[in-house]
Amino acid sequence: MEKLNLDKLPRHVALIMDGNGRWAQKKGLPRSFGHKAGAEKLKTIVRFASDIGISAITAYAFSTENWKRPQNEVDILMSLFSSYLTNEVEELHQNQVRIMFSGDLSRLAKPLEQKMLDAAQYTRNNQGLTLNLAVNYGGRAELVRAFRSLADKIATGELKSDDIGEDIITEYLYTASLPDPELLIRPSGDLRLSNFLLWQTAYTELWFTPLNWPDFTPQVLVQALLDFQARDRRFGGLKK
Ligand code: IPE
Ligand code: IPE
Ligand code: MG
């Protein structure tokens, strides 16, 4: 922790909270225990990240592909999102956390969707860490949505195709209010993006650990941040 340069933290960290099921199975427990432990871990990491001064975390909680899972697992995840919000919003608010969501919330049960919209509304003016929860999120679905909106604007004459550039596309994404993530962390040992932030991660530094998400700790986050700070980011240019 002493080696960490707090002036050079990534402003936006993307986090794929993966490995909950394997964590539980290793312990001989049902997968749902892993999801519960994963939700607890998010609380710990958000508190720590907010304390050290990270500005934003986008945490992948449920992908557009996760609907393929057995209905009872989907139900458990949805009920965990709901209790997370019920139990955490007030404390997050006290800590100046701004909650936002990326993903198509309209496919969720209405009371859950409403709870999410309420949490975002309630915390919208907070000046601390932005906690962006990616729920029913897919990078491709996000781009399809953006392109449809752009097509509509062209159809009504509000935009011309020549106006469309990288900045405009970025503005039509769920993450428009956030800078691109500088660092993406994926626990669980799987080395892929699984449809997360496809546009935004063009130059993101990727960091993987074999630990499952419930075994992740603030110390592991510090290690990821130290590794990030030691990397040479060239963006296609030459070494400084
Ligand atoms: C991540 O853990 C949580 C979600 C995808 C919702 P997993 O449930 O994917 O856990 P593993 O990858 O099967 O271990
Ligand atoms: C990615 O993990 C989605 C979340 C962590 C929410 P998955 O477990 O769904 O990804 P795959 O199936 O291993 O690619
Ligand atoms: Mg997984």
Side-chain angles (χ1 to χ4, degrees), residues 15-21 23 34-46 57 59-60 185-189 209-217 221:
L15 179 60
I16 303 181
M17 302 187 286
D18 194 26
N20 293 348
W23 178 88
H35 295 314
K36 203 157 188 300
E40 286 301 320
K41 192 44 58 87
L42 181 63
K43 297 179 193 171
T44 310
I45 294 303
V46 166
I57 292 181
Y60 206 3
I185 296 173
R186 181 170 195 160
S188 87
T209 168
L211 290 173
N212 288 315
W213 171 242
D215 286 330
F216 201 89
T217 60
L221 176 59

Side-chain angles (χ1 to χ4, degrees), residues 147-235:
F147 298 156
R148 280 193 183 143
S149 304
L150 286 165
D152 287 345
K153 293 268 153 101
I154 290 173
T156 61
E158 282 171 81
L159 266 183
K160 289 195 286 294
S161 64
D162 282 348
D163 298 333
I164 297 176
E166 295 185 11
D167 290 349
I168 298 259
I169 291 174
T170 299
E171 268 174 44
Y172 278 75
L173 303 180
Y174 293 117
T175 53
S177 67
L178 301 174
D180 286 343
E182 290 100 328
L183 173 64
L184 178 144
I185 296 173
R186 181 170 195 160
S188 87
D190 285 331
L191 311 179
R192 54 177 172 265
L193 289 177
S194 301
N195 203 12
F196 194 37
L197 303 176
L198 297 181
W199 174 270
Q200 299 88 333
T201 51
Y203 268 101
T204 300
E205 294 296 326
L206 309 179
W207 194 89
F208 299 98
T209 168
L211 290 173
N212 288 315
W213 171 242
D215 286 330
F216 201 89
T217 60
Q219 289 75 10
V220 179
L221 176 59
V222 170
Q223 189 56 56
L225 295 169
L226 286 170
D227 290 350
F228 168 79
Q229 290 184 341
R231 292 206 190 163
D232 177 29
R233 304 188 73 202
R234 293 185 295 280
F235 301 97

Side-chain angles (χ1 to χ4, degrees), residues 3-239:
K3 293 190 211 131
L4 198 60
N5 183 345
L6 295 177
D7 297 325
K8 284 199 177 136
L9 290 174
R11 282 173 304 163
H12 181 187
V13 175
L15 179 60
I16 303 181
M17 302 187 286
D18 194 26
N20 293 348
R22 277 164 282 180
W23 178 88
Q25 277 158 345
K26 267 194 193 164
K27 294 182 143 41
L29 298 167
R31 293 175 56 85
S32 59
F33 282 62
H35 295 314
K36 203 157 188 300
E40 286 301 320
K41 192 44 58 87
L42 181 63
K43 297 179 193 171
T44 310
I45 294 303
V46 166
R47 217 171 284 136
F48 180 76
S50 150
D51 287 348
I52 64 173
I54 289 174
S55 310
I57 292 181
T58 295
Y60 206 3
F62 193 90
S63 75
T64 45
E65 287 70 39
N66 287 147
W67 297 107
K68 294 178 193 160
R69 298 200 178 186
Q71 188 61 43
N72 78 316
E73 180 160 341
V74 170
D75 291 346
I76 283 164
L77 286 163
M78 294 300 154
S79 93
L80 276 171
F81 299 149
S82 178
S83 44
Y84 179 85
L85 291 172
T86 304
N87 299 326
E88 291 308 302
V89 169
E90 192 52 44
E91 187 189 323
L92 291 167
H93 181 60
Q94 295 306 324
N95 290 325
Q96 283 296 309
V97 172
R98 174 173 80 110
I99 302 170
M100 61 176 267
F101 292 90
S102 289
D104 180 7
L105 303 185
S106 73
R107 188 163 165 200
L108 308 179
K110 285 297 140 206
L112 179 58
E113 180 190 12
Q114 193 55 51
K115 210 182 245 196
M116 289 176 167
L117 298 175
D118 290 347
Q121 173 74 9
Y122 184 56
T123 61
R124 73 188 185 287
N125 293 323
N126 288 344
Q127 300 294 312
L129 178 139
T130 296
L131 175 59
N132 177 30
L133 294 168
V135 180
N136 193 19
Y137 173 87
R140 288 186 172 180
E142 179 183 42
L143 285 166
V144 167
R145 174 178 171 270
F147 298 156
R148 280 193 183 143
S149 304
L150 286 165
D152 287 345
K153 293 268 153 101
I154 290 173
T156 61
E158 282 171 81
L159 266 183
K160 289 195 286 294
S161 64
D162 282 348
D163 298 333
I164 297 176
E166 295 185 11
D167 290 349
I168 298 259
I169 291 174
T170 299
E171 268 174 44
Y172 278 75
L173 303 180
Y174 293 117
T175 53
S177 67
L178 301 174
D180 286 343
E182 290 100 328
L183 173 64
L184 178 144
I185 296 173
R186 181 170 195 160
S188 87
D190 285 331
L191 311 179
R192 54 177 172 265
L193 289 177
S194 301
N195 203 12
F196 194 37
L197 303 176
L198 297 181
W199 174 270
Q200 299 88 333
T201 51
Y203 268 101
T204 300
E205 294 296 326
L206 309 179
W207 194 89
F208 299 98
T209 168
L211 290 173
N212 288 315
W213 171 242
D215 286 330
F216 201 89
T217 60
Q219 289 75 10
V220 179
L221 176 59
V222 170
Q223 189 56 56
L225 295 169
L226 286 170
D227 290 350
F228 168 79
Q229 290 184 341
R231 292 206 190 163
D232 177 29
R233 304 188 73 202
R234 293 185 295 280
F235 301 97
L238 296 178
K239 200 170 157 60

